Amino acid sequence: MPIIETHPFAPILPPHASVMMMGTFPPKAEKRCMEFHYPNFYNDMWRIYGLVFFNNAEYFQLASSKSFDPKRIVAFLHERGIALCPTVRRAIREQDNASDKFLTIVEPVDLDHILQQVPDCKWLLTTGGKATDILLSLLPEPLKLKTPKTNTEMAFPYHGRDLRLYRLPSTSRAYPLSLVKKAEAYHAFYQMIGMV
């Protein structure tokens, strides 16, 4: 019998957020350096945000530790108005690992409920192909849209709101792009919307 897991981390939803970053599912507990989103120390997410906003890949890293500082990350997200919410609420790991390729979605996020909590959100950022596909699957049937390529955007109406989806590169070390190139992609987005 497959084990159904529930996403262990609550969304971070600053009420004034204009951007919401959406990924998939975290690694298993033994692969986490902290109990927070993107918890694998070898995932580049928090190094990328350190580079983009502070020109320092180690900005969110705890001193002399292979871990990041969740309190510092949460404070940053609230200050900048960046929400963080997975596209997946419950899933099965078919290969007992964190690979999106072997993740079976049992229950996606309740997008309506989440978006009601961030009324100023205009941008949904997806970190990789699986998150993008899941998000698009949550749109009303007439809006089924073609998956955008990495580093491109698309606009769509959603329950009376005009939203934009921007697909960014995966921050996994398995994704074949250097940390610097990933940071450049994220920087280009945040520069485009005037946050850096």
Side-chain angles (χ1 to χ4, degrees), residues 46-122:
W46 303 120
R47 292 181 187 86
I48 289 167
Y49 272 80
L51 283 169
V52 169
F53 287 91
F54 305 100
N55 200 31
N56 177 4
E58 297 177 2
Y59 183 82
F60 293 109
Q61 190 173 334
L62 287 167
S64 63
S65 170
K66 284 193 169 184
S67 186
F68 300 102
D69 185 345
K71 288 182 180 176
R72 192 172 205 184
I73 296 167
V74 170
F76 159 77
L77 295 171
H78 277 270
E79 179 188 326
R80 299 294 177 129
I82 301 170
L84 194 56
C85 180
T87 55
V88 180
R89 187 168 178 277
R90 297 193 309 147
I92 297 167
R93 300 180 199 272
E94 301 292 354
Q95 297 288 327
D96 207 36
N97 60 29
S99 173
D100 281 353
K101 185 177 177 183
F102 302 113
L103 194 66
T104 297
I105 311 310
V106 175
E107 181 186 347
V109 69
D110 183 341
L111 189 60
D112 289 354
H113 176 68
I114 294 297
L115 285 172
Q116 286 169 17
Q117 298 174 69
V118 282
D120 298 331
C121 184
K122 294 178 176 59

Side-chain angles (χ1 to χ4, degrees), residues 16-195:
H16 64 293
S18 59
V19 172
M20 183 159 65
M21 189 166 63
M22 304 187 78
T24 52
F25 219 66
K28 297 184 78 174
E30 59 267 24
K31 296 284 189 182
R32 301 175 197 159
C33 70
M34 59 178 177
E35 290 303 301
F36 191 71
H37 300 268
Y38 301 94
N40 187 321
F41 184 70
Y42 298 102
N43 186 294
D44 283 326
M45 181 60 76
W46 303 120
R47 292 181 187 86
I48 289 167
Y49 272 80
L51 283 169
V52 169
F53 287 91
F54 305 100
N55 200 31
N56 177 4
E58 297 177 2
Y59 183 82
F60 293 109
Q61 190 173 334
L62 287 167
S64 63
S65 170
K66 284 193 169 184
S67 186
F68 300 102
D69 185 345
K71 288 182 180 176
R72 192 172 205 184
I73 296 167
V74 170
F76 159 77
L77 295 171
H78 277 270
E79 179 188 326
R80 299 294 177 129
I82 301 170
L84 194 56
C85 180
T87 55
V88 180
R89 187 168 178 277
R90 297 193 309 147
I92 297 167
R93 300 180 199 272
E94 301 292 354
Q95 297 288 327
D96 207 36
N97 60 29
S99 173
D100 281 353
K101 185 177 177 183
F102 302 113
L103 194 66
T104 297
I105 311 310
V106 175
E107 181 186 347
V109 69
D110 183 341
L111 189 60
D112 289 354
H113 176 68
I114 294 297
L115 285 172
Q116 286 169 17
Q117 298 174 69
V118 282
D120 298 331
C121 184
K122 294 178 176 59
W123 289 94
L124 303 180
L125 304 183
T126 50
T127 57
K130 184 93 168 187
T132 306
D133 290 341
I134 295 166
L135 180 60
L136 290 175
S137 77
L138 300 177
L139 301 183
E141 201 60 44
L143 284 182
K144 297 304 181 192
L145 302 164
K146 188 177 176 187
T147 304
K149 293 182 178 172
T150 303
N151 300 322
T152 64
E153 65 177 277
M154 57 183 274
F156 59 94
Y158 188 83
H159 298 297
R161 291 169 71 166
D162 292 320
L163 297 177
R164 301 189 81 81
L165 164 62
Y166 196 98
R167 179 179 171 183
L168 284 162
S170 168
T171 57
S172 167
R173 286 284 173 96
Y175 188 76
L177 196 65
S178 70
L179 171 61
V180 170
K181 291 290 184 187
K182 289 177 188 176
E184 285 174 357
Y186 281 67
H187 187 275
F189 167 75
Y190 281 109
Q191 186 173 50
M192 178 183 75
I193 67 169
M195 285 182 75

